[in-house]
Amino acid sequence: MTTSSSSPTVDHAPRDPADGRWTPRLVLILIALAWPTQLLAAGGILGANAIAGVAQAFHTTQVVWFGLTLTLVSTLLTPFVIKLGDLYGKRRVMLAMTALGALGELLAALAGSFWLVLAGRAIAGFYGPFGALSFAAVRDVFPARLVKQASGVMGSSVGLVAIVSPFLAGWLIDTWGYRGVLWFLAAATAVAFALIALLVPETPRHAFGSRLDWPGGLVLGGGLTAVVYALGQGQS
């Protein structure tokens, strides 16, 4: 008689044979996860600097929605993204997120009306919860001894991104206007997609066989979204 494992995990990510030591493969995986994670911080700073250009280009007083739309979509989707990563593997979900993120920023960069810009930003919001998966993926992919180090590198590099991003935003806006920011975000997100596709292995499916709790996700994500919306409309 054969017995099956009590763990529901399948599709295990291959561990590096040099368990506990940094290898070129692990360094590349860390870069592939860190790039799109830090792009979230850079995108927030770049987007904030582009708001004035968007308002001037479309002569709108509703420019607050340029950033708020992306934030609301990201907040609403976060519970679903985390669960989908457990159901189908984090790599698959991250690829879908980065593809939609690049598509959304591209649409916003090409848009000829403010409402199309907002539609593009809403689609780009699917990329927003990426950080919720990337740090979890580190625990699945890296040897146990390196998880804290890898997570620390990803977290501490936010400071460097915060220093560089305002200068990058100024150069992009001065040279190409707000569209330069959106084109850069679209290209950078496309690079993130390529890095994940080429370097990141699939992670275990921890919730294999379970179902997505749509009501629970809507209650949690919707509640958080309502709070974010209230904060975004704080002045009124």
Side-chain angles (χ1 to χ4, degrees):
M1 177 182 295
T2 60
T3 59
S4 58
S5 172
S6 61
S7 172
T9 301
V10 297
D11 295 344
H12 289 276
R15 297 282 182 170
D16 197 282
D19 190 33
R21 298 197 305 271
W22 284 100
T23 65
R25 172 180 172 272
L26 291 176
V27 172
L28 289 175
I29 293 175
L30 181 60
I31 293 173
L33 290 173
W35 173 275
T37 303
Q38 304 313 318
L39 185 58
L40 293 172
I45 297 173
L46 293 172
N49 281 272
I51 286 178
V54 173
Q56 184 177 8
F58 296 102
H59 307 288
T60 178
T61 59
Q62 302 297 318
V63 72
V64 65
W65 287 99
F66 177 78
L68 189 57
T69 299
L70 185 145
T71 304
L72 291 175
V73 173
S74 300
T75 305
L76 177 63
L77 294 177
T78 297
F80 297 103
V81 164
I82 295 173
K83 185 63 175 181
L84 288 171
D86 287 339
L87 284 172
Y88 301 108
K90 297 176 181 64
R91 179 178 179 271
R92 293 184 180 95
V93 179
M94 288 190 290
L95 286 174
M97 294 168 67
T98 50
L100 288 170
L103 178 63
E105 299 293 5
L106 179 62
L107 175 60
L110 294 172
S113 69
F114 182 60
W115 300 111
L116 277 178
V117 171
L118 294 185
R121 295 290 282 174
I123 297 172
F126 280 78
Y127 176 66
F130 188 93
L133 290 183
S134 60
F135 284 95
V138 168
R139 295 195 300 269
D140 288 334
V141 174
F142 282 77
R145 291 185 180 181
L146 298 181
V147 169
K148 289 185 178 180
Q149 296 180 34
S151 299
V153 170
M154 289 177 58
S156 61
S157 56
V158 173
L160 178 61
V161 171
I163 294 174
V164 174
S165 294
F167 297 99
L168 175 61
W171 174 66
L172 291 171
I173 293 171
D174 290 344
T175 307
W176 293 287
Y178 80 91
R179 294 184 191 273
V181 168
L182 296 175
W183 278 109
F184 173 82
L185 291 175
T189 310
V191 171
F193 178 90
L195 289 174
I196 296 168
L198 294 174
L199 300 175
V200 178
E202 188 53 272
T203 61
R205 290 186 279 169
H206 298 290
F208 182 74
S210 64
R211 295 183 298 175
L212 191 63
D213 181 10
W214 289 99
L218 288 173
V219 170
L220 177 58
L224 293 173
T225 302
V227 174
V228 172
Y229 174 78
L231 294 174
Q233 298 294 315
Q235 291 183 349
S236 58

